[in-house]
């Protein structure tokens, strides 16, 4: 397998593992991307705003995401995350995100 095909395969594995974690978590919705390096999951309703959630993720979990409202005011329960990174680090970040959601779930 040449380098580019190998990287695409590795990238898809990261995406698929993150999607599996999110789909297994209660109240999360996410669909697989067909290209690109971002996921845009929908999370359960929280006791805090999406902007407060993004700050909490950064401080409590060491994870940086973009609030969904950057892509439209209707996306108050979404965030965007780039998954083009170390596989294990990406999976660990999603696990920490899920933990923070549980802490602030309504």
């Amino acid at each position: 397998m040449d380098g580019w095909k190998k990287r695409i395969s590795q990238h898809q594995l990261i995406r698929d593992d993150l999607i599996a974690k999110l789909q297994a978590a209660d109240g999360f919705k996410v669909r697989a991307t067909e290209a690109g390096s971002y996921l845009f999951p929908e999370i359960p309703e929280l006791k805090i705003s999406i902007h407060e959630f993004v700050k909490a993720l950064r401080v409590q979990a060491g994870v940086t995401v973009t609030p969904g409202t950057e892509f439209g005011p209707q996306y108050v329960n979404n965030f965007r995350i780039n998954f083009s990174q170390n596989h294990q680090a990406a999976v660990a970040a999603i696990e920490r995100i899920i933990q923070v959601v549980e802490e602030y779930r309504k």
Side-chain angles (χ1 to χ4, degrees):
M1 186 180 297
D2 70 19
W4 186 243
K5 287 182 181 177
K6 182 178 179 183
R7 177 62 188 134
I8 290 170
S9 177
Q10 291 169 337
H11 199 250
Q12 289 171 335
L13 289 173
I14 297 167
R15 177 201 64 198
D16 293 347
D17 284 352
L18 298 185
I19 288 171
K21 290 275 183 187
L22 290 166
Q23 288 177 337
D26 184 37
F28 285 75
K29 296 177 187 171
V30 65
R31 70 171 187 83
T33 59
E34 295 179 23
S37 301
Y38 296 94
L39 292 176
F40 195 67
E42 182 179 338
I43 60 176
E45 193 173 353
L46 303 177
K47 296 182 249 182
I48 59 176
S49 74
I50 192 68
H51 294 281
E52 292 169 315
F53 173 69
V54 167
K55 288 178 189 174
L57 280 180
R58 193 170 51 250
V59 171
Q60 293 175 233
V63 178
T64 301
V65 301
T66 304
T69 53
E70 294 293 317
F71 306 95
Q74 69 273 31
Y75 298 115
V76 296
N77 293 323
N78 294 78
F79 66 88
R80 184 179 79 161
I81 187 166
N82 183 305
F83 61 85
S84 185
Q85 58 178 297
N86 174 278
H87 193 143
Q88 287 73 32
V91 170
I94 286 295
E95 291 171 344
R96 293 193 308 274
I97 289 169
I98 292 167
Q99 289 173 345
V100 174
V101 166
E102 290 305 320
E103 182 177 340
Y104 293 104
R105 180 189 289 268
K106 255 190 182 177

